[in-house]
Amino acid sequence: MDEKNINLPEPVTKNLFDKSQEKREQGGAELIKVIQNATEKTIIEIAKYLKERYVTQQQFQYKKGGLHGLYSIAIDISKKQETIIKNCLNYIIDPMIECMRDKEERVRYTAIEYLFLTSKQLGDYVLNKLEEIYRNLVQSFLDPDESVRKAASQLDNCLKSLVTSTAPEKQNFKIQSFVKRISNQIVFKNQQVKLNLISWINTLNSIPHIELFDYIEGFLVELFLMLADTNNKDPFTNEVKVAARKQLEEFQRDLERYSKRSSFNQTQELKTHRQIIDILLGLCQNKQSDAHVLSQVLNWIMEYLKIVSNELDQPQVQFNPLELSGGQIIKGIDLMSNIFEQRRDSVLQSVIMEKLNNILKIILSLLSLDSLQIVNQAQQINDLLLQIMDKMKASGKEFVDIMPTIQDMLKEKNNHTAEKALMWMRHLLNTQTEKLKPMIENILENLIERLKDAEAQVVENVMDVLARISHEQYFDMVIEKILDIFHKNVNLLNRMSQIIIKKLCEFWNAEVVYTQICNKLLENYVYVGDDNLDLAFTQQLVQSLEYLLITEPRLQNIRMKLKNYKYEKNQKTAKSTYEFFISIYKTFCYNEVSALSLSLLIEEYELTYNIILTIAEQETNVEILVQIARLTLLLESPVFAYLRLQLLESANHPFLIQSLQGLMMLLPQSPIQKYLKSRLKNIELFIKPDSDLSQSKEIQNKLDTQLLLQLFKNSKQEQQDLKDNYAKTQSK
């Protein structure tokens, strides 16, 4: 039968296009009688005829009658063979979909109504057209006419019901294609549309035979960003946020299930886990992500890491094929099942290892944010990552590849981020020392560089890491780098030199540290070409060394060795003490007051007095007077208690009294000078002219005072020569 030659009986045409619903239903019933015994081809031709002859007309009654006729055909074919239904489906559904876009609201409403009735009649077969129907249905949710929107909602619920009730073998729609459709639609700004899209995601996720995680890449980002929506004018905004959060939490709970599902499709799992983690890390850097989004993202990352941590806690199952004999078949099957699970566990572990660099960089960066909640979450993730690293190390995993990332994060201005980067660096150096040897020099460079603008806590952590790598092979390099950064950064020298030197002495042998620093100062900042000279730097650093030597409790052993040198009976100890003294004295001579302090500490009072005389030979400046005043105050500290008692033995220490008198005369009249003057005056009250005080200790070792004085004078002359040469250069 050709479409042009179709002549439907008058009861059909007359009733179908009647305004009365009852008459239309009668017309539909008559049409069913006409086609109930017709061939598939005839049914298709009649459907095409109804579309062309009536549905495409402008008059509403014609359109409505045509749609009713198509619905009547659906009623008839629903009882026929599956192939007939599938072959006729397009000719019934397509005209209805086209009418959903009609400019007249009555037509749009009617089209949706008949599509709903047809869906109820044909059931899951309609799902073959699900993607097309839904594409137009989304527009209907935005329709200005309320009745159209309500009809669209009714049809939407019907389709969801069909999707959830359809058996896997009868699933007549392509899940991948439909999820892609949802992904394309989810960018709609309308909140009601977003609510519907979330409900569809929830519906699909509730179907046991559909694994929505395999397609989650398409809509996961938008779900997260819905949490940051600031469209307060739309009353549905909060509903969208609540729905999105609930759906994200449901997916989060399903992460472990997906990671352990019984499937051999490792490729798909790897792909999905990679996609999800990339999305999560991308959201952490997305400018649209506010604290709500970041918090939810970090929850997901934490969930992933918990799964990996739990997997690593599981005991490894060893499988021996020889056990599969006789009655051990069941045991063998169980063993194979466990081994299979462990193989699957390695999928997620491998993805975490693959993405560890990126994860670590993001988490360390988040530690610098102002949000306390985000910082706390990032801290928890950082701690869990460290635990996972320890667990993975037991299985032979290596982590040296993350060291460049850690070094980059060490450069971050935020101290919290830098501290955690140092924690990672320290951890790696403890566990991967041999593997990191080729990178040590570069690591040292970055650590030293970090000292520039760091605060005390970061400095301590940097020094702690330096201590772990700077054994004999790198000790010289560490000292040189630290001196270099002090030299280039006066602010750091002023703020942190004492803290850094204390840390050096804490982690290494203090004598070696002092000796090495003093030697390097002589080599690189004194006995070199004129262009590299910086006496002010040397003097300032020596002042820090001297102050710590006198006041730092941890350097008590060195002080005691110097103080007891003259009375030391063990010649080996005496020799090492002398060598240490000479090595630092040569450098201390470049700061007059530091040399004074050192001579007082080792009880070489004749040298002290002669140094004071040498200082007096030249015009003293304010800086020297300030240092002398500070030394005078230090003489009242517990460190110099022995010296104050020796004042009572003036006969045995004649140069001590003269030295203190010399200091008093160098100082201008001031409270400090008066304090020293009072001290000396009080001593006269206790000492009787005829007192015969014997030496309390027998002197075993003597210093060559003249040699030491000459070293001091040579340094003074050298400094003067340098100043004169500099003045000549400037005058030219």
Side-chain angles (χ1 to χ4, degrees):
M1 181 185 294
D2 188 271
E3 182 185 334
K4 295 178 181 178
N5 299 324
I6 291 177
N7 289 308
L8 294 175
E10 185 177 347
V12 174
T13 56
K14 182 179 179 181
N15 290 328
L16 271 180
F17 307 109
D18 195 276
K19 291 183 179 181
S20 166
Q21 177 67 21
E22 185 180 351
K23 291 288 186 181
R24 282 196 301 274
E25 289 178 358
Q26 289 177 8
E30 291 296 328
L31 178 58
I32 291 172
K33 291 178 183 179
V34 171
I35 63 174
Q36 62 184 355
N37 295 318
T39 63
E40 178 186 311
K41 182 178 180 182
T42 300
I43 295 172
I44 291 173
E45 292 300 333
I46 292 174
K48 291 167 68 176
Y49 171 77
L50 288 172
K51 175 189 175 184
E52 297 300 328
R53 179 69 180 82
Y54 300 108
V55 177
T56 58
Q57 297 301 312
Q58 294 297 318
Q59 294 91 335
F60 173 66
Q61 285 305 119
Y62 279 173
K63 286 180 181 292
K64 191 168 185 177
L67 291 171
H68 192 91
L70 292 172
Y71 166 59
S72 299
I73 294 174
I75 294 174
D76 177 71
I77 66 171
S78 66
K79 302 166 187 175
K80 298 183 184 295
Q81 295 178 355
E82 181 177 341
T83 54
I84 295 176
I85 298 175
K86 289 185 175 180
N87 292 335
C88 295
L89 192 65
N90 287 344
Y91 301 100
I92 297 171
I93 300 296
D94 288 352
M96 296 179 180
I97 292 175
E98 290 175 17
C99 287
M100 291 174 71
R101 300 190 294 268
D102 196 273
K103 62 182 180 180
E104 190 175 352
E105 62 268 11
R106 290 185 302 170
V107 177
R108 297 195 297 272
Y109 173 80
T110 302
I112 296 172
E113 182 183 33
Y114 278 115
L115 194 49
F116 169 77
L117 294 171
T118 302
S119 299
K120 298 282 283 187
Q121 194 66 46
L122 295 180
D124 56 82
Y125 293 108
V126 175
L127 298 180
N128 282 294
K129 304 292 289 182
L130 178 61
E131 188 179 343
E132 292 178 61
I133 295 172
Y134 189 74
R135 182 175 65 244
N136 290 274
L137 193 59
V138 169
Q139 298 296 332
S140 299
F141 293 134
L142 306 173
D143 199 284
D145 186 81
E146 185 178 359
S147 62
V148 174
R149 296 197 300 271
K150 286 183 178 179
S153 179
Q154 191 177 24
L155 175 58
D156 182 68
N157 290 333
C158 175
L159 294 172
K160 288 173 183 170
S161 179
L162 290 174
V163 168
T164 54
S165 61
T166 302
E169 64 273 11
K170 284 190 173 184
Q171 184 173 298
N172 290 311
F173 71 100
K174 296 179 180 178
I175 178 64
Q176 185 173 4
S177 180
F178 184 59
V179 171
K180 187 175 181 181
R181 170 56 51 195
I182 291 177
S183 303
N184 292 336
Q185 302 287 358
I186 205 167
V187 295
F188 265 83
K189 293 184 179 180
N190 184 275
Q191 303 297 331
Q192 288 173 276
V193 173
K194 287 183 178 180
L195 270 175
N196 179 263
L197 292 163
I198 295 171
S199 71
W200 265 103
I201 291 170
N202 184 57
T203 297
L204 294 173
N205 195 46
S206 68
I207 301 173
H209 64 270
I210 293 178
E211 184 52 83
L212 204 55
F213 267 99
D214 291 342
Y215 315 102
I216 200 170
E217 179 193 20
F219 53 81
L220 188 59
V221 172
E222 289 301 325
L223 274 180
F224 274 109
L225 292 181
M226 286 178 189
L227 302 178
D229 203 321
T230 56
N231 184 11
N232 296 323
K233 294 180 180 180
D234 195 316
F236 290 97
T237 298
N238 285 334
E239 284 189 50
V240 169
K241 288 183 177 180
V242 171
R245 182 175 291 105
K246 284 183 178 178
Q247 190 58 57
L248 286 167
E249 288 171 352
E250 185 174 335
F251 278 134
Q252 182 185 325
R253 288 191 294 270
D254 277 352
L255 280 174
E256 185 169 8
R257 176 198 58 76
Y258 180 76
S259 300
K260 295 182 179 296
R261 65 176 183 162
S262 298
S263 166
F264 282 95
N265 192 356
Q266 251 190 348
T267 303
Q268 178 61 50
E269 287 178 37
L270 280 167
K271 178 183 176 184
T272 300
H273 286 312
R274 284 171 180 154
Q275 289 172 340
I276 292 175
I277 291 175
D278 284 341
I279 286 171
L280 296 175
L281 297 179
L283 283 165
C284 288
Q285 298 174 300
N286 193 321
K287 293 181 180 179
Q288 297 181 55
S289 298
D290 64 3
H292 299 292
V293 176
L294 283 175
S295 179
Q296 197 72 29
V297 168
L298 293 178
N299 284 340
W300 274 57
I301 295 174
M302 190 70 173
E303 187 66 29
Y304 257 130
L305 295 178
K306 284 180 180 177
I307 295 169
V308 172
S309 182
N310 291 337
E311 289 175 357
L312 291 167
D313 288 336
Q314 298 301 315
Q316 295 294 310
V317 178
Q318 301 297 324
F319 174 63
N320 183 357
L322 296 177
E323 292 182 356
L324 298 181
S325 59
Q328 294 182 323
I329 294 295
I330 294 177
K331 181 180 178 182
I333 293 172
D334 289 340
L335 283 168
M336 292 186 69
S337 175
N338 288 331
I339 290 169
F340 172 65
E341 285 302 316
Q342 288 182 1
R343 180 193 64 79
R344 293 191 41 69
D345 290 348
S346 66
V347 172
L348 187 51
Q349 291 175 34
S350 64
V351 174
I352 294 298
M353 284 293 294
E354 177 186 318
K355 302 292 182 180
L356 184 57
N357 256 316
N358 296 332
I359 295 172
L360 187 59
K361 186 173 183 178
I362 293 295
I363 295 305
L364 291 178
S365 297
L366 291 177
L367 290 169
S368 64
L369 295 185
D370 295 330
S371 170
L372 183 61
Q373 180 185 359
I374 301 302
V375 170
N376 287 338
Q377 286 181 277
Q379 176 66 64
Q380 291 173 13
I381 291 172
N382 183 68
D383 294 343
L384 185 53
L385 276 171
L386 284 168
Q387 293 174 27
I388 288 172
M389 188 182 79
D390 285 341
K391 292 176 183 179
M392 285 186 168
K393 180 181 177 290
S395 59
K397 297 281 196 310
E398 294 180 1
F399 300 88
V400 292
D401 291 344
I402 66 173
M403 183 55 85
T405 297
I406 294 171
Q407 293 190 80
D408 286 342
M409 299 314 296
L410 186 61
K411 299 173 185 176
E412 287 289 316
K413 291 184 178 180
N414 183 274
N415 286 325
H416 200 181
T417 296
E419 281 182 44
K420 298 306 174 185
L422 285 166
M423 180 188 294
W424 272 91
M425 187 175 286
R426 183 167 58 241
H427 208 79
L428 278 179
L429 288 165
N430 282 343
T431 58
Q432 312 268 310
T433 307
E434 290 302 315
K435 298 290 183 182
L436 288 170
K437 275 188 175 180
M439 306 170 65
I440 289 294
E441 289 195 24
N442 186 253
I443 292 172
L444 286 175
E445 291 279 356
N446 283 287
L447 286 169
I448 298 297
E449 190 67 21
R450 181 61 209 182
L451 290 173
K452 279 186 179 179
D453 305 309
E455 295 181 2
Q457 185 59 47
V458 177
V459 167
E460 290 198 16
N461 287 332
V462 169
M463 297 307 298
D464 184 44
V465 177
L466 282 172
R468 294 174 189 277
I469 56 177
S470 303
H471 39 76
E472 291 183 12
Q473 185 177 354
Y474 303 105
F475 180 75
D476 285 0
M477 184 188 300
V478 170
I479 298 299
E480 286 182 3
K481 297 291 184 185
I482 289 175
L483 292 181
D484 183 60
I485 201 169
F486 279 161
H487 185 238
K488 292 176 180 178
N489 194 316
V490 177
N491 183 43
L492 181 68
L493 178 64
N494 293 333
R495 290 188 306 113
M496 293 294 173
S497 60
Q498 291 187 21
I499 293 175
I500 291 173
I501 293 169
K502 275 198 291 185
K503 280 294 172 183
L504 286 170
C505 293
E506 179 182 339
F507 294 125
W508 292 292
N509 182 291
E511 287 188 37
V512 175
V513 171
Y514 263 72
T515 301
Q516 192 72 348
I517 290 177
C518 289
N519 289 341
K520 293 295 180 184
L521 283 172
L522 291 179
E523 291 173 14
N524 300 327
Y525 300 95
V526 178
Y527 297 140
V528 291
D530 291 350
D531 293 340
N532 295 322
L533 281 172
D534 195 338
L535 288 172
F537 164 67
T538 302
Q539 290 168 349
Q540 188 170 351
L541 190 55
V542 165
Q543 187 177 336
S544 294
L545 291 168
E546 169 239 330
Y547 184 78
L548 285 175
L549 183 60
I550 293 174
T551 62
E552 175 56 36
R554 293 172 184 171
L555 299 183
Q556 182 182 11
N557 288 340
I558 296 180
R559 287 196 296 272
M560 293 304 295
K561 284 183 70 174
L562 291 171
K563 188 177 72 170
N564 295 327
Y565 168 71
K566 296 174 74 173
Y567 316 109
E568 180 60 58
K569 295 181 179 181
N570 186 309
Q571 289 305 302
K572 185 177 180 180
T573 302
K575 181 181 178 184
S576 68
T577 303
Y578 175 79
E579 290 173 350
F580 170 67
F581 170 77
I582 289 296
S583 67
I584 64 173
Y585 176 76
K586 289 179 182 178
T587 307
F588 274 42
C589 285
Y590 286 88
N591 184 305
E592 294 95 329
V593 181
S594 295
L596 267 178
S597 300
L598 190 58
S599 63
L600 287 170
L601 194 60
I602 203 168
E603 298 187 22
E604 195 59 45
Y605 301 131
E606 183 179 353
L607 175 62
T608 303
Y609 181 67
N610 282 291
I611 289 176
I612 291 172
L613 293 178
T614 306
I615 292 174
E617 289 175 1
Q618 298 181 1
E619 186 176 324
T620 55
N621 54 39
V622 174
E623 185 177 346
I624 291 177
L625 291 176
V626 169
Q627 289 185 55
I628 291 173
R630 188 200 65 180
L631 173 60
T632 303
L633 291 175
L634 285 175
L635 291 176
E636 297 298 321
S637 69
V639 171
F640 285 110
Y642 70 92
L643 180 147
R644 297 194 296 274
L645 289 173
Q646 287 174 346
L647 289 172
L648 299 174
E649 303 174 349
S650 58
N652 296 324
H653 307 287
F655 285 106
L656 174 56
I657 297 237
Q658 292 181 44
S659 295
L660 295 185
Q661 290 171 337
L663 287 176
M664 182 183 69
M665 300 309 294
L666 284 177
L667 286 170
Q669 290 192 2
S670 63
I672 295 175
Q673 193 241 27
K674 289 179 181 178
Y675 190 80
L676 183 57
K677 184 178 181 181
S678 175
R679 166 74 71 181
L680 293 171
K681 189 174 182 179
N682 287 337
I683 290 170
E684 294 175 2
L685 299 175
F686 292 102
I687 300 176
K688 297 179 180 179
D690 57 347
S691 61
D692 184 19
L693 296 173
S694 60
Q695 177 68 41
S696 58
K697 291 183 181 180
E698 184 180 351
I699 295 177
Q700 303 290 331
N701 308 290
K702 291 186 179 181
L703 290 169
D704 188 338
T705 303
Q706 293 306 311
L707 173 63
L708 295 174
L709 180 62
Q710 192 58 49
L711 285 173
F712 179 79
K713 289 182 176 181
N714 289 346
S715 71
K716 288 283 293 180
Q717 186 60 50
E718 186 175 355
Q719 292 177 65
Q720 188 59 50
D721 291 344
L722 291 170
K723 290 176 183 178
D724 293 343
N725 290 337
Y726 179 77
K728 289 179 182 178
T729 304
Q730 293 299 307
S731 64
K732 292 181 180 179

